[in-house]
Amino acid sequence: MSTASDSNIEYIDWNHAFDTLQKAYQLGIFVLIIGPKGTGKTTLVRKFASQMGKELSSVNFSLRTRESHLIGTNTLDNGQINFVNGVLVHSMNQGDILYLDELNAAEPDVLLRLDEALDDRRQIVLKEFHGQTIKAKDNWFVIGTINPLSHVGTKELPHKF
C-alpha cells in the first residue's frame, strides 16, 4: 500500500487519460489500462491517486499471487484466531483506489475471487472468516492494467472478466 500524497510524480498526459479516469471515477466504472511495459501505466495510476487525494492499495500479479494476498488469512495470536485482511478487503473497507497491476498474469482461482468483488454488488463473502460479507464503500475505485499477450507470463483474461 502506498500513500497518494506524492505530488511530485511526473506524467505527461498525451491522451487525456486523467480526464478519462476522472469520468470513470465519477460514474463508478472500473478501468482497465492496456499497454506494453514501460509506457507509464503505473505512473499514471499513482499520479491519479495523488491528484484525487486517495490512498492507493496495490497488487502486482504473478503466478505466485494467491487468494490470501487479496482476501486475507487467519492467524494465531496468543491462542486466538484472528483474521488479517488482504489488500482487496482492506481497500474495499477503506474506499481506497485498488490498483491491480499485470492482471493477466494472475491464476484463474485468484481471478474468480476478484471477480466476485468487481461485479455490480461490489461485495465479497469471506468464506475464510465465518462467511462475513464485505461491502465496498461507495467511493471504492479499481484500476487494472494488463500487458499485451505478447509479453512473457501473460495470458488471455476469461471473457467474463
Side-chain angles (χ1 to χ4, degrees):
M1 193 166 11
S2 64
T3 60
S5 61
D6 186 0
S7 59
N8 296 326
I9 301 168
E10 299 221 14
Y11 180 81
I12 299 172
D13 190 8
W14 296 105
N15 295 315
H16 308 289
F18 289 119
D19 290 340
T20 303
L21 288 174
Q22 181 70 38
K23 287 177 188 172
Y25 179 80
Q26 290 169 346
L27 294 169
I29 300 170
F30 299 150
V31 174
L32 181 64
I33 302 169
I34 303 169
K37 277 186 147 330
T39 56
K41 297 182 301 289
T42 299
T43 305
L44 168 63
V45 173
R46 289 180 53 224
K47 184 69 172 180
F48 179 72
S50 176
Q51 285 187 340
M52 297 297 292
K54 293 189 61 98
E55 292 292 319
L56 183 64
S57 296
S58 300
V59 178
N60 185 282
F61 288 93
S62 71
L63 297 176
R64 294 183 178 158
T65 307
R66 299 288 171 246
E67 282 184 54
S68 60
H69 295 115
L70 295 176
I71 307 303
T73 188
N74 286 309
T75 62
L76 188 59
D77 187 27
N78 293 329
Q80 289 191 350
I81 296 176
N82 297 309
F83 186 78
V84 177
N85 291 337
V87 66
L88 171 64
V89 173
H90 173 81
S91 73
M92 292 173 77
N93 283 331
Q94 298 302 311
D96 292 346
I97 293 176
L98 176 61
Y99 177 38
L100 306 172
D101 190 26
E102 299 189 23
L103 196 52
N104 58 338
E107 290 293 309
D109 61 323
V110 174
L111 289 175
L112 282 173
R113 286 308 297 276
L114 188 58
D115 185 50
E116 181 183 352
L118 296 179
D119 74 13
D120 62 340
R121 293 170 292 174
R122 297 181 184 209
Q123 69 181 28
I124 191 162
V125 177
L126 299 181
K127 61 184 179 191
E128 299 84 354
F129 193 61
H130 312 296
Q132 178 183 1
T133 299
I134 302 296
K135 178 115 175 86
K137 285 193 171 180
D138 289 338
N139 60 346
W140 183 56
F141 187 60
V142 179
I143 302 172
T145 61
I146 64 173
N147 294 317
L149 291 177
S150 59
H151 182 68
V152 174
T154 60
K155 52 193 164 287
E156 190 172 343
L157 291 174
H159 293 291
K160 181 180 177 197
F161 217 80

